[in-house]
C-alpha cells in the first residue's frame, strides 16, 4: 500500500509497509523537519522520470528499500590504479567548500548514480537549505593547484551517519577520488555506515553491498544520535 502524506502533519508510516520495490509514500513536502525525520527513519525522497510512476504527477516519492544498499567506510575498495592516482595528488579533496555548485552539477551533468535520478528545483532548494542548517554536506574534488571543480558528491550527515544522495565527475576518477578520500575520513571519525540508497555498479565496485533493512535501521538509530563530526579537525 502506498500512503498519501499530509502537507500539514509531518509523519511517515512504518517502513515495513513499503511496497516490494521500496516505495512507501507520496506527497508531503521537502521541509527540513520532514527530510530529517525521513532520514532518521530510513526513508529518502526520490523523484523519478520512470513512466511507471507518471500517474503520480509531480508528487514526491518516499522510499525505504529492503534490502538496503550501504557502504561500511572501513571496507572501501581501492584498486591499484586508484591507489596510484591518489598518491599522485591529482585532485585536492575538500568538504563543504562549494555545496551549491556540487548539487547543481549533480543535477545537470552526466551522473554516475542510478539512471532516473531527477533533482528538481524543489529538491535543489531543499538541500541547499539543509546545507545552510548544517546537515547537508558536499565533498569536492578540485584539479590540484587550480580552482577547477573536477567532481564531487553530496548528501546528508546526521550524527555519525552519511546518507549519500548523488555524485558527478567532469574529470575521469574525480568522483572516485572524492568518495574514497571521504570514506577514509569517515572511518577515522568512527562513522559506522554510509547509506547508498540504491545499487549502482559504480558504488558496488567501491565496496558497497546490501544489508537487511532491519539491520540498517538498527545501525542508524544509535549512530544518528551521536555527536556530529567536526570535519575541520580531521
Amino acid at each position: 500500500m502506498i500512503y498519501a502524506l499530509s502537507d500539514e502533519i509531518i509523519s511517515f508510516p512504518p517502513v515495513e509497509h513499503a511496497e516490494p520495490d521500496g516505495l512507501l509514500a507520496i506527497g508531503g513536502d521537502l521541509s527540513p523537519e520532514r527530510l530529517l525525520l525521513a532520514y532518521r527513519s530510513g526513508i529518502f525522497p526520490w523523484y523519478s522520470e520512470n513512466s511507471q510512476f507518471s500517474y503520480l504527477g509531480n508528487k514526491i516519492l518516499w522510499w525505504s528499500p529492503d534490502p538496503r544498499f550501504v557502504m561500511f567506510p572501513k571496507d572501501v575498495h581501492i584498486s591499484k590504479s586508484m591507489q596510484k592516482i591518489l598518491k599522485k595528488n591529482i585532485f585536492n579533496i575538500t568538504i563543504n567548500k562549494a555545496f551549491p555548485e556540487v548539487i547543481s552539477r549533480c543535477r545537470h551533468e552526466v551522473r554516475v548514480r542510478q539512471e532516473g535520478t531527477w533533482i528538481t528545483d524543489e529538491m535543489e532548494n531543499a538541500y541547499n537549505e539543509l546545507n545552510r542548517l548544517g546537515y547537508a554536506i558536499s565533498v569536492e574534488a578540485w584539479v590540484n593547484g587550480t580552482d577547477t571543480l573536477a567532481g564531487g558528491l553530496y548528501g546528508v550527515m546526521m550524527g555519525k551517519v552519511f546518507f549519500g544522495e548523488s555524485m558527478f565527475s567532469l574529470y575521469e576518477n574525480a568522483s572516485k577520488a572524492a568518495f574514497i578520500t571521504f570514506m577514509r575520513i569517515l572511518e577515522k571519525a568512527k562513522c559506522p555506515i554510509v547509506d547508498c540508497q540504491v545499487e549502482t555498479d559504480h558504488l558496488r565496485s567501491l565496496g558497497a553491498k546490501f544489508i537487511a533493512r532491519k539491520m540498517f535501521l538498527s545501525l542508524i538509530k544509535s549512530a544518528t544520535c551521536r555527536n556530529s563530526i567536526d570535519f575541520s579537525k580531521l
Side-chain angles (χ1 to χ4, degrees), residues 18-112:
E19 295 293 298
D21 62 1
L23 183 57
L24 175 67
I26 63 171
D29 58 21
L30 294 174
S31 66
E33 295 79 12
R34 191 185 298 272
L35 282 170
L36 295 177
L37 174 60
Y39 285 111
R40 282 195 299 269
S41 304
I43 302 164
F44 61 88
W46 183 24
Y47 285 95
S48 176
E49 295 174 320
N50 192 324
S51 59
Q52 176 185 355
F53 304 108
S54 60
Y55 69 95
L56 296 176
N58 294 322
K59 295 186 182 225
I60 306 164
L61 309 183
W62 299 90
W63 304 78
S64 184
D66 186 16
R68 193 65 163 247
F69 199 55
V70 304
M71 168 71 77
F72 296 102
K74 65 182 179 60
D75 294 336
V76 65
H77 174 69
I78 310 173
S79 66
K80 289 183 178 179
S81 60
M82 276 306 301
Q83 289 177 20
K84 291 178 181 178
I85 289 170
L86 293 171
K87 285 181 180 178
K88 289 179 180 178
N89 292 321
I90 296 173
F91 303 108
N92 177 38
I93 309 302
T94 60
I95 295 178
N96 253 352
K97 298 299 183 184
F99 186 92
E101 186 174 355
V102 168
I103 190 172
S104 179
R105 290 287 189 180
C106 286
R107 176 179 181 179
H108 296 292
E109 301 294 339
V110 176
R111 296 177 295 275
V112 295

Side-chain angles (χ1 to χ4, degrees), residues 21 44 46 63 65 67-70 112-115 117 164-165 195-204 208-210:
D21 62 1
F44 61 88
W46 183 24
W63 304 78
R68 193 65 163 247
F69 199 55
V70 304
V112 295
R113 192 184 167 194
Q114 68 271 12
E115 294 180 2
T117 298
E165 280 298 316
D195 179 24
C196 298
Q197 297 182 352
V198 179
E199 181 183 16
T200 67
D201 291 338
H202 178 73
L203 289 172
R204 182 175 284 282
K209 62 183 180 182
F210 284 108

Side-chain angles (χ1 to χ4, degrees), residues 146-227:
T146 76
D147 58 357
T148 300
L149 185 59
L153 59 101
Y154 80 94
V156 174
M157 195 85 213
M158 297 185 71
K160 289 290 195 297
V161 180
F162 181 70
F163 300 87
E165 280 298 316
S166 189
M167 60 174 66
F168 78 97
S169 271
L170 298 178
Y171 286 67
E172 187 176 4
N173 296 312
S175 66
K176 279 187 178 181
F179 185 84
I180 290 169
T181 301
F182 190 48
M183 291 305 102
R184 287 172 164 175
I185 291 171
L186 292 182
E187 181 183 7
K188 183 179 178 181
K190 303 188 183 307
C191 169
I193 192 169
V194 169
D195 179 24
C196 298
Q197 297 182 352
V198 179
E199 181 183 16
T200 67
D201 291 338
H202 178 73
L203 289 172
R204 182 175 284 282
S205 73
L206 290 168
K209 62 183 180 182
F210 284 108
I211 64 171
R213 182 174 59 203
K214 186 175 182 180
M215 178 184 293
F216 172 73
L217 293 173
S218 176
L219 287 169
I220 68 170
K221 182 177 181 180
S222 57
T224 53
C225 295
R226 293 163 65 184
N227 291 334

